[in-house]
Amino acid sequence: MVQRRSAPPVDASAAPPRRDRRGRGLRTPLLPAELPASRTRAERFDQAVLEAVAELDARWPGRLESLEFAVDEVPVVPADGQEIGSDEVVLDGGVPLARFLPPGMDSRGRPTKARIVVYRRPLEVRSGDAGELGDLVAEVLAELLGEMLGEPDDGDGPIS
């Protein structure tokens, strides 16, 4: 009777990157996950919002704890045309850039916190590069928070 020995287990992290099925390309990502270039536009935008919120939290300590911040791709625009401006919406040319949603109840009857929704695509379109995007996000959030907290923003002026 012939005995077969099983092959020793192979550590996948020690093996060199393999090629794909057809032998044409690597099966590993092009860039390591630690590099900024490997992040998607949505991840970079989320990071810009987090940095802007941290900056504003330092300006108004303890006043942002009752707020939630959310990111949405695009705003819902009414079918009849442009959005009507109010204190709860930051507009640019009739397009909402951010919106304040007061506290209320969700569909299951649970209470919800007040929420500020920042719209990614309208802000990306209006910015030229990543640095400008971060500044624009901070400016839009500062304007909206200044209106909600009753302390007008001390920046260059409103966007809308």
Side-chain angles (χ1 to χ4, degrees):
M1 181 165 180
V2 179
Q3 290 185 334
R4 295 185 183 228
R5 293 188 308 182
S6 62
V10 177
D11 183 14
S13 62
R18 297 183 352 210
R19 295 191 155 307
D20 67 0
R21 280 191 341 202
R22 309 264 188 268
R24 294 187 184 105
L26 294 177
R27 284 189 164 185
T28 60
L30 290 177
L31 296 171
E34 306 85 45
L35 295 179
S38 69
R39 296 188 321 206
T40 65
R41 286 189 310 213
E43 290 170 338
R44 288 191 298 264
F45 186 82
D46 291 346
Q47 185 63 38
V49 170
L50 289 173
E51 289 171 2
V53 169
E55 197 176 290
L56 292 169
D57 193 34
R59 184 188 302 179
W60 292 303
R63 305 229 10 223
L64 306 183
E65 291 173 359
S66 62
L67 292 172
E68 288 182 348
F69 293 86
V71 173
D72 206 355
E73 290 292 312
V74 292
V76 177
V77 179
D80 61 347
Q82 295 184 357
E83 178 97 19
I84 298 172
S86 71
D87 289 345
E88 297 180 349
V89 179
V90 177
L91 295 175
D92 182 33
V95 177
L97 303 178
R99 179 183 310 273
F100 174 77
L101 301 170
M105 297 290 208
D106 66 4
S107 61
R108 295 182 178 164
R110 296 178 296 193
T112 61
K113 285 184 165 183
R115 178 178 293 174
I116 292 181
V117 180
V118 183
Y119 299 110
R120 181 173 75 88
R121 292 297 299 146
L123 287 168
E124 282 181 340
V125 166
R126 285 160 178 77
S127 67
D129 60 6
E132 195 176 310
L133 177 64
D135 294 341
L136 184 59
V137 168
E139 183 181 338
V140 166
L141 283 174
E143 180 180 343
L144 189 57
L145 282 171
E147 290 290 329
M148 294 299 105
L149 297 174
E151 298 178 14
D153 183 32
D154 57 358
D156 297 335
I159 294 175
S160 56

